[in-house]
Amino acid sequence: MTSTAADMGEESPLLNRRPTSSESQINNSKLYLAVFAAVLGNFSFGYSLVYSSPVLPKLQSPDADPRLRMDTEQAAWFGSIYTLGAAAGGLGAMLLNDLIGRKLSIMVSAMPSTIGYMLMGGAVDVWMLQLGRFLTGVAGGMTAASIPVYISEISHKAVRGALGSCPQITAVVGALALYSLGLVVPWRWLAVAGEVPAVLMVVLLVFMPRSPRRLLSQGREQQAEKALRWLRGKHYDIQIELSAIQHSISTQSKVTLSQLATPVYYRPILISVVMRFLQQMTGITPILVYLEPIFSKSKVSLEPRYDAAIVGAVRLFSVAVAASLMDRAGRRALLFTSSLLMFLSSLTLTMISHTTPCPPGPAPPNLTVSLDYSPQNYTENILYVGHQTSTNLIPLISTMVFIFGYAMGWGPITWLLMSEVLPLVARGVASGLCVTVSWLTAFMLTHAFTHLVDSYGLYVPYLGFTVVCVLCLLFTAVCIPETRGRSLEEIENYFRTGRTFTIKRSQSTVQSS
């Protein structure tokens, strides 16, 4: 089956020539510095997302300031309004990404973040806490839509997979920092500490280059060449990469509504949107936001705040594993593994929560102090206590497995694939759309979670998460292509042809895969 050269994205001979050894001498040190500066925004995102986990128990306790004490409805809003702000931030990023560029969009996010933390740190009424939480959500939505795109556009394909997982890793580090500080720092000072990474991010990004793709799309060739040379090092021949980027841009045009109905546009956008929807429907956001209250209801034998810190450490380990395997095992293999682990753990949590009543049950027999020290009675008591201890650890272990599975695949890979498969001409708007859909889903699920747990216990939401994990397995098998080792231009060509990643130079050499 043949196709025209235009349909196949005809490429210049330079793009099909293998680089020489001198051309392959890439110095990634400055690229890593630029990525580090950008992902500080994801550190703030991870920190602010789980801020409610250690704070809500204090604000709902009888010892809380009467002006700040929250009932169930207020607590549900405090936990979920962050995701509503993130949806608004995603909408803002849809405009800012194409209006002022990726780098400046990331820098602008520091403003609502800093104001939000100031409001929460100095709150004297509940509305200040809610508004501050909303503003930090706006900042999180902006960074979630802008940082993955910026990283994918400044990275080369050899390290794009590993660097594409950095936003998720730093978000996890931010969450672990919050859990750890929550063990020793009062909740108001947690808000003050949250301002530091946002300010540091702005200071560092001032010295980082803009996206070469963005600059070329604006016709600023010299600045694009300077930015790419800064990112790759002075011993790397950037002309081949510049030619590839320029060719990709030159074949793009303004997207019309009729063009959106063609596979080259609607397929990658639909895949990205559905992935972000399923990612949230797994229940990851309510689990992270309400981690300490969940462990309290699960009757885990350890203190909930220590459980949260342990889960945060496991989450960090799992995303580090995912980063090391991203360009080795491939995206699809990690997504399959991730879906399976989440399914098994959520199914276990469903069964445990279904057999464990939320209110405390009657005192078990033989657990009270007895004067009968016979060997038989002593053995029965020890066996019962041992059984209770092991049972109480199952929710913690299952949650750790769930977080491990999510952070290995559906956490980082959804961000990476979004930045890889979205068409260049619509990448800014489409990434904002994906983030908006993601956070609107998270808002509805997080707000409903508290009420579902109060009415039915943890069984009903866990059962829903189990079903979604099955859908994740099916969606990965049917819809998601393997993008490991592919350039952004090759990925675009896959959706253009619907058959192959390979960019052919003439129609006579086109082969169907």
Side-chain angles (χ1 to χ4, degrees):
M1 187 172 180
T2 61
S3 173
T4 64
D7 289 338
M8 295 304 297
E10 181 176 358
E11 197 55 276
S12 65
L14 280 175
L15 297 182
N16 294 276
R17 181 169 63 84
R18 295 178 65 87
T20 64
S21 58
S22 61
E23 292 171 347
S24 61
Q25 294 178 2
I26 298 178
N27 186 343
N28 288 323
S29 58
K30 291 184 178 179
L31 171 63
Y32 296 154
L33 179 60
V35 170
F36 172 76
V39 296
L40 282 172
N42 287 100
F43 182 96
S44 295
F45 162 69
Y47 186 97
S48 57
L49 173 64
V50 301
Y51 179 78
S52 60
S53 178
V55 172
L56 269 178
K58 296 178 174 62
L59 296 178
Q60 288 186 290
S61 70
D63 299 330
D65 186 335
R67 297 172 299 175
L68 301 176
R69 188 180 299 127
M70 294 184 179
D71 56 26
T72 299
E73 180 64 19
Q74 290 172 324
W77 273 104
F78 187 71
S80 62
I81 201 171
Y82 178 92
T83 57
L84 194 61
L91 284 172
M94 289 174 63
L95 302 175
L96 292 177
N97 271 341
D98 290 329
L99 186 64
I100 64 176
R102 288 60 158 143
K103 172 187 163 181
L104 291 180
S105 296
I106 300 170
M107 295 175 69
V108 167
S109 70
M111 186 181 301
S113 177
T114 303
I115 295 174
Y117 279 124
M118 289 175 62
L119 282 170
M120 289 191 291
V124 294
D125 206 337
V126 171
W127 71 265
M128 297 179 70
L129 291 171
Q130 304 285 19
L131 179 59
R133 181 95 170 124
F134 176 82
L135 289 175
T136 56
V138 171
M142 293 175 66
T143 56
S146 304
I147 293 175
V149 177
Y150 177 73
I151 292 176
S152 72
E153 293 186 355
I154 66 175
S155 304
H156 53 87
K157 64 181 181 181
V159 295
R160 195 178 63 244
L163 294 182
S165 63
C166 286
Q168 179 70 12
I169 292 176
T170 49
V172 171
V173 173
L176 180 57
L178 186 281
Y179 290 140
S180 302
L181 287 175
L183 298 175
V184 294
V185 176
W187 67 268
R188 288 187 186 274
W189 284 101
L190 288 177
V192 174
E195 300 176 17
V196 177
V199 174
L200 181 60
M201 175 192 71
V202 173
V203 173
L204 290 179
L205 278 177
V206 168
F207 303 99
M208 300 300 114
R210 296 190 180 189
S211 163
R213 291 175 182 273
R214 165 76 178 173
L215 293 171
L216 279 178
S217 67
Q218 294 177 313
R220 301 158 71 176
E221 289 85 359
Q222 290 185 348
Q223 293 185 22
E225 182 176 349
K226 182 179 179 182
L228 194 60
R229 191 175 300 281
W230 189 91
L231 290 165
R232 302 289 183 264
K234 61 182 180 179
H235 298 298
Y236 177 72
D237 185 354
I238 64 173
Q239 293 307 316
I240 295 177
E241 189 171 351
L242 278 175
S243 298
I245 297 172
Q246 185 63 66
H247 176 81
S248 176
I249 294 172
S250 63
T251 57
Q252 303 287 346
S253 59
K254 288 286 185 180
V255 181
T256 63
L257 290 177
S258 60
Q259 286 177 314
L260 287 176
T262 59
V264 68
Y265 292 113
Y266 79 76
R267 284 185 64 201
I269 293 175
L270 192 59
I271 286 174
S272 300
V273 169
V274 174
M275 281 195 73
R276 298 308 300 272
F277 173 77
L278 289 175
Q279 179 197 47
Q280 291 296 343
M281 289 301 295
T282 61
I284 187 63
T285 299
I287 287 176
L288 293 177
V289 168
Y290 301 120
L291 196 55
E292 286 195 25
I294 286 173
F295 282 136
S296 296
K297 287 183 176 293
S298 300
K299 307 294 186 294
V300 179
S301 54
L302 299 176
E303 284 190 43
R305 56 179 183 162
Y306 294 115
D307 296 329
I310 291 172
V311 169
V314 169
R315 191 176 168 213
L316 177 60
F317 170 74
S318 56
V319 294
V321 171
S324 65
L325 296 177
M326 196 78 71
D327 289 316
R328 298 179 185 178
R331 282 57 156 160
R332 282 168 56 89
L334 289 178
L335 285 174
F336 279 125
T337 304
S338 173
S339 301
L340 185 59
L341 288 175
M342 288 194 297
F343 168 75
L344 294 175
S345 56
S346 59
L347 181 62
T348 303
L349 288 167
T350 301
M351 293 187 293
I352 289 294
S353 59
H354 184 54
T355 56
T356 303
C358 285
N366 297 329
L367 198 62
T368 56
V369 177
S370 173
L371 296 179
D372 182 6
Y373 293 100
S374 64
Q376 180 181 0
N377 187 59
Y378 178 78
T379 303
E380 288 176 355
N381 286 340
I382 292 297
L383 289 175
Y384 180 82
V385 171
H387 172 73
Q388 287 295 103
T389 302
S390 61
T391 302
N392 289 345
L393 286 177
I394 292 178
L396 173 61
I397 296 171
S398 298
T399 303
M400 290 166 60
V401 173
F402 183 90
I403 297 294
F404 181 84
Y406 172 84
M408 272 196 66
W410 278 88
I413 294 179
T414 49
W415 297 93
L416 175 61
L417 275 174
M418 181 186 77
S419 63
E420 287 183 328
V421 305
L422 289 177
L424 177 64
V425 69
R427 188 166 294 159
V429 174
S431 62
L433 173 65
C434 292
V435 171
T436 302
V437 169
S438 174
W439 289 117
L440 284 177
T441 306
F443 167 72
M444 293 184 290
L445 193 62
T446 306
H447 190 76
F449 185 84
T450 299
H451 297 289
L452 285 173
V453 171
D454 282 350
S455 301
Y456 306 104
L458 291 167
Y459 166 72
V460 170
Y462 279 149
L463 179 61
F465 302 156
T466 304
V467 173
V468 171
C469 291
V470 177
L471 297 178
C472 290
L473 275 169
L474 296 175
F475 185 76
T476 302
V478 175
C479 300
I480 298 177
E482 179 57 69
T483 60
R484 179 184 59 165
R486 303 293 183 182
S487 69
L488 297 183
E489 291 71 37
E490 289 173 329
I491 295 170
E492 282 190 10
N493 191 72
Y494 172 85
F495 289 109
R496 182 180 295 111
T497 63
R499 296 183 305 278
T500 178
F501 287 101
T502 306
I503 299 175
K504 301 295 184 181
R505 291 167 47 191
S506 65
Q507 68 180 46
S508 61
T509 60
V510 175
Q511 298 176 352
S512 62
S513 61

